[in-house]
Every structure is written in C-alpha cells, then in structure tokens.
Amino acid sequence: MASNPGILVEYPWARLGNFKYMVLAPIVVHNIHSLLRSKEENWWDSGYLLLWPLMLLRLLHGQIWISLNRYRTAKGENRILDITTEFDQPDKERNWDDPIIFTALIFYCGYLMLEQTHNLPIWRIDGIILTALVHIGPVEFLYYWLHRSLHRRYLYSRYHSHHHSSIVTEPTACKSSSISTISSI
C-alpha cells in the first residue's frame, strides 16, 4: 500500500477477496442470453464472446511472466538486494489481476454503448495497423507522462511509492495502485 494512500487506491471489489470475479457475473448472464437469442433469431455477435478469450489470455500472459520472474528470483539472477523475498511483498501484489477485470468491464460497457461496432469482422489488417498506430502514438505518450507525473511528491506518496518499495522486482509490482494500473490499460 502507498505510504499515504489517496482516493481510488483500491478497486471497488477489493473487499470481495477471492469472490471478486463475481463482478463479471452480469456479463456472463448477458453472453448466455445473447447465445440463446442467436439460436432463435439467427443472430450472433462475436464482440461479446471475444471478451472471454482475450481476458483469459491476459491472465495467462500475466501468470507466465510472474512464474518466470519468481523462478529467476529463486535462482538468484534477478535480485536487487541479496536478501530473500518476504511473504508480505507477494501479499501486497496479489491483486495483479484487478486491472484485467477492470479492462473487461470497460470493454464490455464500451461495446454495449457503441452499437456501430457490433458485427464487425474479427480479422482486418487495416484495423490491426490502426490499433498498433494508436497504441504506439497516443497511448504510449500518455502512459509516459502519467508515469512521470506519478513521481511528483503528492502522487508518489499516495499512489506510486508501493511500486518502488518492492525488494524483488516483479511484473505485479507495477500493478500496485489504481492510477498506475489504469494508465497501463
């Protein structure tokens, strides 16, 4: 936790503990309803169903990097200080999947609101190029400046100090506060 926690440091579902994935239950119900409706009306919208494989891929990707990093740390190749990792550091960073839940909710709500994006083809090379350019340009630019602003005294003490307090650097150490995770989406 940050040295002087500010507002929105925790996600709204933080108190649910291991039941935090229940936040996604309405999306599951809506997906099942849309599948049942697709059989009746010959209607199928891939956008709702693509959310799940993409979310699972992000979870798998995160877990692979965490496991690889902990393996390297256990071998001693990744240490900043020559001390063992205490249990409190992984405990502080156990919420690494919260940004993935948050992203799934944002994508789902955005997809619901933007009806012109429904029934688009799954694969188009011009869409991939446009997505890459938007990510390389504005997203990375904004991420750089937001991260740089997190090093100012006020924001650092409330949101970002936890990120720099990790003894062993892990991919999850960057996911320690709401502002740093929202900026990494």
Side-chain angles (χ1 to χ4, degrees):
M1 191 55 95
S3 59
N4 185 13
I7 60 168
L8 300 177
V9 170
E10 291 184 337
Y11 286 89
W13 52 81
R15 294 186 178 156
L16 294 175
N18 292 333
F19 296 107
K20 63 185 170 185
Y21 285 97
M22 292 303 294
V23 172
L24 299 173
I27 300 174
V28 172
V29 170
H30 185 259
N31 282 341
I32 292 171
H33 178 263
S34 67
L35 277 175
L36 294 174
R37 196 172 93 187
S38 69
K39 293 180 181 180
E40 295 171 3
E41 301 175 7
N42 197 15
W43 177 87
W44 185 72
D45 194 355
S46 60
Y48 293 119
L49 298 177
L50 284 176
L51 177 69
W52 300 111
L54 292 174
M55 190 175 102
L56 291 173
L57 280 173
R58 285 194 69 196
L59 286 168
L60 179 65
H61 180 259
Q63 189 59 54
I64 287 170
W65 280 111
I66 291 167
S67 299
L68 178 65
N69 189 61
R70 288 187 179 167
Y71 170 74
R72 289 177 48 107
T73 299
K75 283 180 59 179
E77 298 174 7
N78 235 29
R79 296 188 180 192
I80 294 173
L81 301 173
D82 198 24
I83 59 174
T84 60
T85 305
E86 298 295 324
F87 285 110
D88 61 339
Q89 180 184 342
D91 285 346
K92 288 189 295 186
E93 297 163 359
R94 74 181 182 278
N95 62 346
W96 68 271
D97 54 346
D98 283 345
I100 298 170
I101 296 171
F102 182 69
T103 304
L105 289 171
I106 293 295
F107 282 168
Y108 177 75
C109 292
Y111 193 71
L112 273 177
M113 290 189 293
L114 299 172
E115 290 188 26
Q116 64 268 24
T117 61
H118 292 230
N119 298 314
L120 289 176
I122 295 174
W123 179 267
R124 282 184 52 185
I125 195 70
D126 57 340
I128 292 171
I129 291 170
L130 181 63
T131 302
L133 290 175
V134 166
H135 182 75
I136 291 168
V139 171
E140 288 297 324
F141 177 79
L142 290 172
Y143 178 78
Y144 170 78
W145 285 103
L146 180 62
H147 184 255
R148 190 170 166 155
S149 70
L150 286 172
H151 286 261
R152 303 263 181 196
R153 178 170 291 168
Y154 180 80
L155 293 176
Y156 184 83
S157 66
R158 284 165 177 76
Y159 298 103
H160 200 59
S161 61
H162 171 77
H163 165 70
H164 289 280
S165 69
S166 296
I167 300 293
V168 177
T169 55
E170 289 193 358
T172 57
C174 70
K175 306 282 192 240
S176 61
S177 71
S178 298
I179 289 200
S180 67
T181 55
I182 289 171
S183 67
S184 67
I185 293 174

